[in-house]
C-alpha cells in the first residue's frame, strides 16, 4: 500500500528517489510551474528541456538526472498541458483534474521507484486533495495473477504550503480513503470471472465490511426464489454458480437522510442463449463494475463516517447459456409483481437491477441511484470516457455536478416518453428490449418502471468502467473504478446541507 505525506519542505531538499515537477506548454516552449524551482536549480535544466523532448504535453513524463542543488537522484518532468488552458499554469482546473491527472501520470510511469516527491501546484486544501488522490490512483498495480513482486511507488511526499493545515490534512486523508475505494473497485473488475462468481463476490463484501459498522445481509438463490426476485433467478439460472443479492447498510446514528445505491453485478456476461460473439465477450468480466463501485462507495462512506444512511444493493448473477438457462420468450415475474417477457437474454442487466431497485425502494429511501454497465449504446453515444446519467431531473443534475467536483465525466441524458411504447410485450407487462435506436434511453425507461415515485438516477458506465486501451493520467488499463469518486462526492454534498 502506498503512503502519502504532506510536507512544507523545499522540494529541492526532499529526501526522495525522484522529484516530480510540473511543466506547462507555452508558445515559447515548456516552462516549469513553481517559481523557486524555475528560478533556482531547474533553470539551467530547462534550457535543454526541448532538446530532451520535453513539451509539457499531458501524460508526458521525462526523467533526467537531478541537477546539483536537488537532493533527489532523478527529476521527472510531468506535462500539465497548455499554460493558458486553465487560466495560467498555477491555476487549478475544475475539480483539480489537471493536477490530479498529472500526479497520476507521473506516479504511474515511475513504477519501480520506491519514494517520490511531488512538487505540483497545491495551494489550497482542494488542490492538495486532488494531487494526493491522483498520485495514489496512479500508484495502482493489479498483481493477483502475476508471479513477480509489487512495483508501485511506496512512499509519496506531497509538497504544499498548506502541509500543517487541518483542511489540507483532512483532504489528504479523504484522498487515501477514496483512492482505496477506487483501487478496490478496480481489483474486483480485474479479477477473473473464474474466481469472482456471485457467491465469491458476496464473500468479498462480507469480508470487507468486517470490523466496520456496516451490516451485511446475503440472500442466496433459495431466498431469492422465495422472495419473488424473478430477475436475479432468471438471469442466474443458466449458471452452475447461483445468484446472490447483497444488502449493505451504513446507518450512522446522526444520519441526515437516506440513500439507496443499486449496482449491476453480472460477474460474467456471455449473453446467455442470446449469446454474444467472441469479441463482445472479451471484456465481460467487467459487467459487475456497478456493483463493485456500490460496494466500495458504501465502505468509503463508513470510513469517512459520512452522516447519511447509505444502503447498498449488489445484484449478483452470472449470465450463462446452458440447459437450465432462461430462453428468449420466457416470462419472469420481477420482485413486486411486474411480469417481463425476456426476448433477449443479453439484456440481463435491467432484469437483475429491476429486482434490486424494487427491493431498495420498498425501504422508502429519500433517493435511489443505480450504477450499471448497462448498454453498448452508451459507448456508441458518449465514447469510452464519458458516462451517462438519466432519471429524475434534480437527482440527475446533482450527480452531474458531483462528478464535475470529483473530476469524473458524467453527462445528462433524457428519458423520452415516446420510446416507452417500444417496451410493450404481446404477452407480459413489459418486454426486456425495445427500440434499438436510443438503446441506452430505452434501458433507462425500463428501469424507471421499477422505482415508483422515489427520486432516482441511473448511471450507465458501460464504456468508462473498463479501459481497453493503454493507460492515461491516473487511469490504468482494465478496471477504472469509475463512479466511486462521483458517488462519494455526491454523498458528501448531501451531508453539507
Ligand atoms: N453488459 C452489456 C452492455 C455492455 C456492452 C457493457 C459493452 C459494456 C460494453 C449488456 O448486458 C448488454 O449485453 N446489453 C445489450 C442490450 C441489448 C440486447 C438490448 C447491448 O447493449 O447490446
Ligand atoms: Mn448482456
Ligand atoms: Zn450485461
Amino acid at each position: 500500500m502506498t503512503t502519502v505525506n504532506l510536507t512544507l519542505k523545499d522540494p529541492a531538499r526532499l529526501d526522495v528517489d525522484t522529484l516530480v515537477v510540473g511543466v506547462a506548454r507555452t508558445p515559447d516552449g515548456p516552462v516549469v510551474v513553481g517559481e523557486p524551482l524555475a528560478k533556482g536549480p531547474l533553470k539551467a535544466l530547462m534550457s535543454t528541456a526541448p532538446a530532451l523532448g520535453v513539451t509539457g504535453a499531458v501524460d508526458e513524463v521525462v526523467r533526467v538526472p537531478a541537477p546539483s542543488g536537488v537532493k533527489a537522484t532523478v527529476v521527472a518532468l510531468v506535462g500539465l498541458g497548455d499554460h493558458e488552458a486553465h487560466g495560467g499554469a498555477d491555476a487549478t482546473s475544475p475539480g483539480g483534474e489537471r493536477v490530479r491527472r498529472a500526479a497520476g501520470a507521473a506516479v504511474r510511469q515511475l513504477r519501480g521507484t520506491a519514494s517520490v516527491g511531488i512538487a505540483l501546484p497545491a495551494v489550497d486544501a482542494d488542490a492538495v486533495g486532488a494531487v494526493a488522490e491522483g498520485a495514489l490512483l496512479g500508484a495502482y498495480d493489479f498483481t493477483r495473477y502475476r508471479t513477480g513482486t509489487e512495483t508501485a511507488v511506496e512512499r509519496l511526499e506531497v509538497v504544499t504550503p498548506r502541509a500543517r493545515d487541518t483542511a489540507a490534512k483532512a483532504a489528504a486523508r479523504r484522498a487515501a480513503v477514496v483512492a482505496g475505494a477506487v483501487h478496490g473497485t478496480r481489483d474486483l473488475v480485474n479479477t477473473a470471472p473464474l474466481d469472482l462468481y456471485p457467491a465469491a463476490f458476496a464473500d468479498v463484501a462480507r469480508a470487507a465490511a468486517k470490523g466496520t459498522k456496516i451490516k451485511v445481509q446475503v440472500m442466496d438463490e433459495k431466498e431469492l426464489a422465495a422472495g419473488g426476485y424473478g430477475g436475479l433467478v432468471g438471469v442466474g439460472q443458466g449458471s452452475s454458480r447461483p445468484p446472490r443479492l447483497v444488502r449493505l447498510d451504513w446507518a450512522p446514528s446522526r444520519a441526515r437522510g437516506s440513500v439507496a445505491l443499486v449496482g449491476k453485478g453480472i460477474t460474467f456476461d456471455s449473453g446467455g442463449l442470446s449469446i454474444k460473439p467472441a469479441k463482445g465477450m472479451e471484456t465481460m468480466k467487467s459487467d459487475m463494475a456497478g456493483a463493485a463501485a456500490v460496494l466500495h462507495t458504501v465502505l468509503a462512506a463508513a470510513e469517512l463516517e459520512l452522516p447519511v444512511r447509505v444502503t447498498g444493493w449488489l445484484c449478483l448473477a452470472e449470465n450463462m447459456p446452458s440447459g437450465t438457462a432462461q430462453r428468449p420468450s420466457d416470462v419472469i415475474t420481477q420482485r413486486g409483481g411486474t411480469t417481463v417477457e425476456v426476448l433477449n437474454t443479453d439484456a440481463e442487466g435491467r432484469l437483475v437491477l429491476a429486482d434490486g431497485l424494487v427491493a431498495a425502494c420498498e425501504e422508502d429511501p429519500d433517493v435511489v441511484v443505480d450504477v450499471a454497465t448497462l448498454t453498448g449504446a452508451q459507448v456508441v453515444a458518449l465514447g469510452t470516457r464519458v458516462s451517462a446519467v438519466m432519471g429524475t431531473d434534480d437527482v440527475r443534475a446533482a450527480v452531474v455536478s458531483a462528478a464535475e467536483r470529483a473530476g469524473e465525466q458524467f453527462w445528462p441524458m433524457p428519458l423520452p416518453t415516446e420510446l416507452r411504447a417500444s417496451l410493450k410485450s404481446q404477452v407480459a407487462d413489459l418486454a426486456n428490449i425495445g427500440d434499438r435506436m436510443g438503446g441506452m434511453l430505452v434501458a433507462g425507461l425500463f428501469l424507471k418502471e421499477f422505482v415508483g415515485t422515489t427520486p432516482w438516477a441511473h448511471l450507465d458506465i458501460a464504456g468508462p468502467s473498463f479501459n481497453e486501451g493503454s493507460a492515461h493520467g491516473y487511469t490504468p488499463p482494465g478496471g477504472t473504478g469509475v463512479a466511486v469518486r462521483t458517488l462519494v462526492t455526491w454523498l458528501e454534498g448531501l451531508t453539507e446541507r
Side-chain angles (χ1 to χ4, degrees), residues 109-487:
Q109 292 176 69
L110 290 173
R111 174 166 288 127
T113 309
S115 56
V116 172
I118 303 184
L120 287 168
V123 289
D124 58 23
D126 284 349
V128 169
V131 170
E133 192 178 282
L136 287 168
L137 290 175
Y140 178 75
D141 243 345
F142 182 66
T143 52
R144 175 165 175 167
Y145 302 112
R146 291 212 196 277
T147 46
T149 48
E150 176 104 22
T151 52
V153 171
E154 287 156 26
R155 180 168 65 89
L156 293 163
E157 300 281 339
V158 172
V159 181
T160 170
R162 300 271 166 266
R164 297 267 159 77
D165 294 11
T166 327
K169 285 184 196 164
R173 189 185 163 258
R174 176 192 182 276
V177 172
V178 169
V182 172
H183 285 196
T185 306
R186 291 174 180 174
D187 282 348
L188 282 166
V189 170
N190 290 333
T191 300
L194 171 68
D195 298 318
L196 192 74
Y197 46 95
F201 198 135
D203 288 344
V204 168
R206 237 195 299 251
K210 205 171 173 184
T212 76
K213 286 181 186 153
I214 298 166
K215 277 206 311 193
V216 184
Q217 284 167 274
V218 179
M219 268 177 263
D220 66 16
E221 70 274 28
K222 289 195 194 89
E223 292 165 289
L224 290 172
Y229 294 87
L232 279 155
V233 170
V235 172
Q237 75 190 32
S239 171
S240 60
R241 306 188 293 179
R244 295 287 183 269
L245 178 62
V246 177
R247 178 182 180 275
L248 302 142
D249 196 15
W250 162 245
S253 46
R254 56 219 163 85
R256 269 172 254 165
S258 61
V259 166
L261 303 175
V262 181
K264 171 177 173 181
I266 300 299
T267 58
F268 185 72
D269 183 12
S270 71
L273 288 176
S274 312
I275 198 160
K276 288 182 183 293
K279 196 79 202 149
M281 237 182 264
E282 274 177 18
T283 60
M284 282 302 121
K285 69 172 180 182
S286 69
D287 212 18
M288 33 52 69
V294 166
L295 167 61
H296 281 283
T297 299
V298 178
L299 290 166
E303 233 177 307
L304 295 169
E305 299 193 64
L306 299 185
V308 57
R309 178 160 186 189
V310 187
T311 309
W313 299 83
L314 317 181
C315 307
L316 306 171
E318 187 177 45
N319 190 21
M320 297 291 268
S322 77
T324 61
Q326 64 177 351
R327 312 148 191 80
S329 302
D330 278 352
V331 175
I332 62 172
T333 304
Q334 300 278 348
R335 171 89 176 174
T338 303
T339 59
V340 175
E341 184 185 13
V342 180
L343 290 172
N344 189 318
T345 65
D346 198 12
E348 84 298 337
R350 58 199 76 182
L351 305 177
V352 300
L353 284 172
D355 283 348
L357 285 167
V358 170
C361 291
E362 281 168 6
E363 298 184 352
D364 207 23
D366 297 337
V367 48
V368 61
V369 173
D370 74 76
V371 194
T373 49
L374 204 59
T375 64
Q378 185 280 322
V379 199
V380 175
L382 293 172
T384 55
R385 295 195 193 177
V386 182
S387 302
V389 199
M390 287 144 273
T392 317
D393 289 352
D394 54 343
V395 188
R396 187 189 60 204
V399 170
V400 169
S401 133
E404 259 168 41
R405 282 174 274 138
E408 291 191 318
Q409 293 179 276
F410 278 76
W411 202 254
M413 285 287 163
L415 292 172
T417 46
E418 65 272 17
L419 288 177
R420 168 65 179 77
S422 72
L423 284 167
K424 283 193 178 138
S425 160
Q426 289 184 358
V427 296
D429 297 339
L430 277 174
N432 79 327
I433 51 170
D435 266 354
R436 202 173 71 81
M437 298 301 166
M440 165 174 60
L441 318 178
V442 172
L445 284 163
F446 181 93
L447 297 179
K448 185 173 189 262
E449 296 292 316
F450 299 90
V451 295
T453 56
T454 309
W456 156 72
H458 158 53
L459 279 47
D460 195 336
I461 57 168
S465 60
F466 195 82
N467 178 13
E468 286 188 68
S470 44
H472 56 87
Y474 48 74
T475 306
T480 63
V482 74
V484 169
R485 281 157 47 202
T486 294
L487 289 172

